[in-house]
Amino acid sequence: MLTGMAEGLTDELLEGARKAFARYGYRGATLERIAAESGLSRVTLHRRGVTKAAVLHALVERATTSYRAAMWPALTGSGSARDRLEAALAALCEVAEDHLALLLALRAQSDGVFHEAPDGDRGALTRTVFTEPLERLLRDGAADGSLREIDAEEGATVLFNLVGWTYVHLREGHSWPADRARRAVLDVALHGVGP
C-alpha cells in the first residue's frame, strides 16, 4: 500500500483504476469498472470509502512523484544546461508515456490539476511542482550561455505544455510510436523551425 494514502487505496486498486481509465476513459471508468479491473467488488470499494475522485487524486500523486524523480538526473547531472534541458524534456516524454492513460483521462475530465490560480494579466501558469525543474535549467542555460535568456517562469510553462501535451496528442491522436513522438517534439522544442 502507498504511504500517506487512504487505507482502501492499495497498489492493486490503483493499478486496476489505471487499467479502467485506459480502457474506458475518465467518464466511462465507473467505480464498478475500477473494482472489476482490480479484482474487487463495488461493495468492497464502498465499504473502504473509496471514491473515484480519491482514486484519481492518488494516481495524480503517483505520477507527480514519478515526474519529480525523472527530473532529478537532469537537475543534478553534468554538462551544459541545454544538454540537461534536453534530458529533462526527454524524461518528461518518458513519464508521459508511463502515465499515458491517466493523462488522457485527465484531459477528458479537466487538466486543472496542472494549473496555478490565474494571476492578473499573466493568467494561469502551470503548477510549480511541474515547472521548477525546467525553470532552473532555463536559468542555468542563460547563465552558461547554452540557452538564450527568456522569462524562465513563462518559458517553463510553455515547454512543459508544448512537450508534454504534444507528446500525449501525437501518441494517442496520431498513433505515433513513442520514439517518433519524442524525437519530433524535442527537435521542434529545442531547435525551433528557423534556419
Side-chain angles (χ1 to χ4, degrees), residues 6 16-17 19 35-36 45 75 82-83 89 107 111 124 132 159:
K19 288 177 184 176
L45 296 187
L75 291 170
R82 189 199 177 288
D83 292 340
L89 295 176
R107 188 177 66 184
D111 65 354
E132 278 177 336
L159 278 173

Side-chain angles (χ1 to χ4, degrees), residues 25-102:
Y26 181 78
R27 286 182 175 78
T30 62
L31 279 177
E32 289 82 7
R33 287 176 169 165
I34 291 170
E37 291 288 344
S38 304
L40 302 168
S41 72
R42 168 68 175 91
V43 173
T44 300
L45 296 187
H46 178 72
R47 275 196 308 251
R48 291 182 182 176
V50 172
T51 65
K52 187 173 166 180
V55 169
L56 181 63
H57 177 76
L59 288 172
V60 167
E61 204 174 273
R62 180 184 271 186
T64 301
T65 299
S66 176
Y67 171 77
R68 292 180 66 124
M71 292 294 111
W72 192 245
L75 291 170
T76 60
S78 60
S80 72
R82 189 199 177 288
D83 292 340
R84 292 183 297 124
L85 177 63
E86 185 171 358
L89 295 176
L92 171 57
C93 292
E94 290 170 19
V95 172
E97 183 66 29
D98 291 344
H99 299 280
L100 196 57
L102 174 64

Side-chain angles (χ1 to χ4, degrees), residues 129-150:
V129 69
F130 300 112
T131 58
E132 278 177 336
L134 302 177
E135 282 182 48
R136 176 175 164 197
L137 293 168
L138 289 171
R139 286 187 181 101
D140 288 354
D144 74 12
S146 62
L147 297 168
R148 66 186 177 89
E149 193 166 329
I150 63 171

Side-chain angles (χ1 to χ4, degrees), residues 160-174:
F160 179 83
N161 286 283
L162 171 73
V163 173
W165 289 114
T166 303
Y167 177 85
V168 168
H169 177 75
L170 291 172
R171 289 286 291 124
E172 179 66 16
H174 295 269

